[in-house]
């Protein structure tokens, strides 16, 4: 399914439930601004190649646009639009004062040398630097962009706009030595973990058996967190090459070493190799999609046996699958809530840069926990109030906060 249509369907459902303000709804059905740039990059061979990049500034009623930059050969405008719309909702669900944006470049970064990657990243900012800034639009990493790339981008921005400490706040997800925040690397999974603890309590699930699809930044850190909790057990994980299942639990620490050595989670000890499709349909208590969009659809939702789904990936469940799971009484803790830990700590990084301060890891994680747990509680209450699924409830909370910000702007 086209991810932007997916967003619109979910928006419509929330709007109809609360009879939301028509004018603000219309505004939220399209981005405020779309920027397209063509970036000439001198390749190591001496030839010049042109790469196309985007930035979608979806909505800034609640604060500067905020969202990552994705490097992928499949990047397209509708995907970037959807991701920027989700960022708008996500920041509002966890009530951080940021709007939504997202960027992308059509490129397979694995085919570039380090020098080419740096020239491309600097070229993107050179073309874009007048449209971003600490109080305008604050990018961050996403798929295949790294802290080092954020550093190059920050430096390029400063080259054009001045080497002032506050200008470090133009971008987040930087290495700690360049003004990054402690805890940013694990924040997405940790935020999801806090939400999971509360969800398990609300739905009275004890000693859960968990399956995780995706073993990258989000999925592998989540697996580690769960493995360190003696009341939980990780029975299945997967990556792009396939998955593994072990009924009495996977040793995640050893699995991380195995993945580093072999490049895959498969063929691990005495675990059984399974496919990604099989992982989704396992008889577990918790299913955590942490890889791609459109994984749980009308074709497999009926066969999901998990008692609860926690979305660490963006957009893994289609609206049709949402309906099926709701009817089956399987709560889906939505992406715009459960993976919001990353943007929350990005916001902390922005704040630290503007105040020229450094917070301790404990400070970061304590604040993160409070925000995630309060947000889950607020979403759960809204779901009970309107008898809707958690995703619709999360959208409702977001819409109400965006409307409030809009009305406050109008009054000034
Ligand atoms: P990543 O690139 O680090 O990891 C992605 C993982 O998915 C890899 O293990 C890869 O092997 C696996 N994968 C790819 N294709 C797969 C397939 N067909 N089946 C199963 N696994 C497959 O990316 P990430 O940062 O972990 O992001 C994963 C998801 O989480 C994305 O949807 C991303 O938008 C979302 N997310 C990440 C963050 C963050 O801070 N990292 C924040 C919010 C949302």
């Amino acid at each position: 399914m086209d991810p932007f249509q997916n967003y619109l369907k979910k928006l419509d459902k929330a709007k109809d439930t609360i009879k939301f303000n028509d004018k603000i709804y219309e505004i939220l059905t399209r981005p405020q601004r779309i920027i397209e740039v063509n970036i000439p990059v001198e390749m190591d061979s001496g030839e010049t190649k042109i790469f196309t990049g985007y930035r979608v500034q979806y909505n800034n009623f609640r604060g500067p646009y905020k969202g990552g930059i994705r490097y992928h050969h499949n990047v397209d405008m509708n995907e970037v639009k959807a991701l920027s719309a989700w960022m708008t909702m996500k920041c509002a669900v966890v009530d951080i004062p940021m709007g939504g944006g997202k960027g992308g470049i059509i490129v397979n970064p694995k085919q570039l040398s380090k020098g080419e990657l740096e020239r491309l990243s600097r070229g993107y900012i050179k073309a874009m630097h007048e449209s971003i800034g600490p109080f305008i639009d604050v990018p961050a990493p996403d798929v295949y962009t790294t802290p080092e790339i954020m550093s190059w981008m920050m430096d390029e921005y400063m080259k054009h706009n001045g080497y002032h400490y506050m200008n470090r706040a133009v971008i987040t997800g930087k290495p700690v030595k360049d003004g990054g925040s402690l805890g940013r690397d694990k924040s997405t999974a940790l935020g999801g973990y806090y939400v999971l603890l509360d969800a398990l309590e609300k739905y009275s699930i004890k000693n859960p058996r968990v399956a995780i699809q995706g073993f990258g930044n989000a999925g592998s850190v989540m697996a580690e967190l769960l493995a360190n909790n003696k009341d939980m057990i990780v029975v299945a994980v997967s990556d792009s090459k396939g998955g593994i299942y072990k009924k009495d639990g996977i040793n995640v620490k050893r699995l991380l070493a195995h993945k580093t050595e072999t490049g895959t989670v498969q063929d691990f000890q005495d675990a059984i190799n399974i496919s990604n499709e099989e992982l989704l349909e396992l008889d577990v208590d918790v299913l955590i999609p942490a890889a791609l969009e459109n994984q749980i659809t009308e074709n497999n939702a009926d066969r999901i046996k998990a008692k609860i789904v926690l979305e660490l990936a963006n957009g893994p469940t289609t609206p049709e699958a949402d309906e099926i799971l709701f009817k089956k009484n399987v709560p889906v803790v939505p992406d715009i809530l459960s993976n919001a830990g990353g943007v929350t700590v990005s916001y902390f990084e922005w704040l630290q840069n503007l105040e020229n301060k450094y917070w301790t890891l404990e400070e970061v994680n304590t604040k993160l926990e409070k925000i995630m747990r309060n947000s889950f509680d607020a979403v759960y209450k809204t779901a009970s109030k309107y008898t809707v699924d958690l995703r619709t409830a999360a959208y409702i909370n977001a819409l109400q906060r965006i409307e409030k910000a809009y009305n406050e702007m109008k009054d000034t």
Side-chain angles (χ1 to χ4, degrees):
M1 166 174 227
D2 168 7
F4 193 67
Q5 290 307 316
N6 179 336
Y7 159 75
L8 288 176
K9 276 199 169 180
K10 288 165 179 171
L11 178 72
D12 282 358
K13 195 168 168 202
K15 172 208 149 204
D16 293 343
T17 306
I18 53 168
K19 305 195 173 34
F20 186 62
N21 179 313
D22 281 336
K23 182 173 156 191
I24 303 176
Y25 164 76
E26 281 303 325
I27 293 172
L28 292 171
T29 59
R30 62 210 83 194
Q32 289 175 327
R33 194 199 279 181
I34 291 177
I35 304 164
E36 179 175 334
V37 293
N38 289 300
I39 311 153
V41 176
E42 193 185 325
M43 308 304 282
D44 293 346
S45 63
E47 65 165 332
T48 297
K49 260 197 184 172
I50 313 260
F51 293 89
T52 300
Y54 306 106
R55 184 79 188 161
V56 178
Q57 298 180 330
Y58 202 85
N59 187 276
N60 66 353
F61 291 172
R62 303 187 72 259
Y65 305 104
K66 184 93 197 76
I69 301 168
R70 181 171 287 197
Y71 285 5
H72 200 276
H73 55 279
N74 284 339
V75 159
D76 72 52
M77 179 49 77
N78 261 16
E79 182 190 50
V80 183
K81 256 168 69 178
L83 288 163
S84 67
W86 283 325
M87 286 307 298
T88 306
M89 296 296 142
K90 196 179 294 186
C91 292
V93 171
V94 289
D95 208 6
I96 58 173
M98 292 279 175
K102 202 84 183 187
I105 301 181
I106 306 171
V107 59
N108 181 350
K110 290 178 186 165
Q111 290 174 351
L112 299 191
S113 70
K114 193 168 170 184
E116 290 166 344
L117 198 60
E118 177 169 355
R119 292 193 287 281
L120 173 66
S121 305
R122 287 183 180 276
Y124 181 80
I125 296 300
K126 194 172 164 199
M128 200 75 81
H129 75 92
E130 283 167 348
S131 305
I132 61 171
F135 302 105
I136 302 170
D137 183 354
V138 183
D142 191 68
V143 174
Y144 292 137
T145 44
T146 59
E148 186 175 38
I149 293 177
M150 298 304 109
S151 248
W152 295 330
M153 289 185 166
M154 174 187 78
D155 186 67
E156 188 65 29
Y157 178 82
M158 286 179 154
K159 218 187 252 176
H160 297 278
N161 295 279
Y163 283 88
H164 186 282
Y165 72 85
M166 273 200 191
N167 276 341
R168 293 175 307 166
V170 67
I171 205 154
T172 59
K174 304 180 291 285
V176 175
K177 70 171 176 51
D178 295 327
S181 177
L182 292 172
R184 174 63 185 88
D185 49 348
K186 303 204 165 176
S187 54
T188 300
L190 186 58
Y193 178 75
Y194 291 137
V195 166
L196 179 63
L197 293 181
D198 285 351
L200 291 171
E201 199 182 314
K202 287 277 189 238
Y203 297 107
S204 308
I205 300 169
K206 292 200 168 54
N207 303 106
R209 305 168 74 248
V210 186
I212 304 174
Q213 185 197 45
F215 206 63
N217 181 294
S220 74
V221 178
M222 181 56 114
E224 267 187 293
L225 289 166
L226 297 176
N228 288 337
N229 183 327
K230 62 175 175 33
D231 296 328
M232 304 194 189
I233 167 166
V234 179
V235 293
V237 302
S238 66
D239 60 26
S240 57
K241 296 182 183 129
I244 53 167
Y245 172 71
K246 191 160 184 271
K247 200 174 169 201
D248 54 356
I250 292 165
N251 183 326
V252 174
K253 211 169 164 188
R254 293 222 176 111
L255 179 63
L256 283 163
H258 172 81
K259 163 105 183 165
T260 310
E261 265 167 42
T262 65
T264 172
V265 295
Q266 287 215 306
D267 305 320
F268 176 65
Q269 295 181 339
D270 56 343
I272 305 166
N273 284 342
I274 56 171
S275 69
N276 265 297
E277 293 71 35
E278 285 168 330
L279 178 136
L280 295 172
E281 297 171 18
L282 284 174
D283 187 7
V284 292
D285 299 300
V286 180
L287 173 63
I288 304 184
L292 301 169
E293 288 136 32
N294 295 334
Q295 295 302 295
I296 306 177
T297 68
E298 58 194 326
N299 298 326
N300 63 1
D302 238 352
R303 295 194 298 275
I304 301 286
K305 297 187 194 68
K307 298 191 181 99
I308 183 169
V309 176
L310 183 100
E311 296 182 335
L312 273 192
N314 282 310
T317 312
T318 64
E320 294 75 20
D322 262 345
E323 296 289 334
I324 296 169
L325 292 172
F326 188 59
K327 283 191 190 126
K328 276 172 51 136
N329 275 326
V330 178
V332 178
V333 190
D335 46 8
I336 54 171
L337 169 62
S338 38
N339 72 26
V343 73
T344 300
V345 176
S346 270
Y347 161 61
F348 295 166
E349 180 176 334
W350 179 81
L351 272 182
Q352 290 170 76
N353 292 160
L354 292 180
E355 293 179 349
N356 209 8
K357 275 188 184 160
Y358 292 91
W359 300 357
T360 62
L361 183 60
E362 197 193 348
E363 229 174 324
V364 169
N365 287 347
T366 307
K367 288 179 207 277
L368 174 66
E369 178 171 5
K370 194 167 167 204
I371 288 180
M372 297 307 296
R373 295 191 118 156
N374 285 346
S375 305
F376 176 80
D377 192 48
V379 167
Y380 186 84
K381 283 188 176 134
T382 300
S384 306
K385 180 174 170 189
Y386 293 102
T387 327
V388 290
D389 56 282
L390 294 171
R391 188 185 320 280
T392 307
Y395 271 76
I396 289 173
N397 285 6
L399 289 179
Q400 289 172 336
R401 286 180 182 146
I402 292 167
E403 181 178 25
K404 184 165 175 282
Y406 179 77
N407 289 334
E408 283 167 4
M409 270 192 305
K410 269 198 326 188
D411 290 347
T412 55

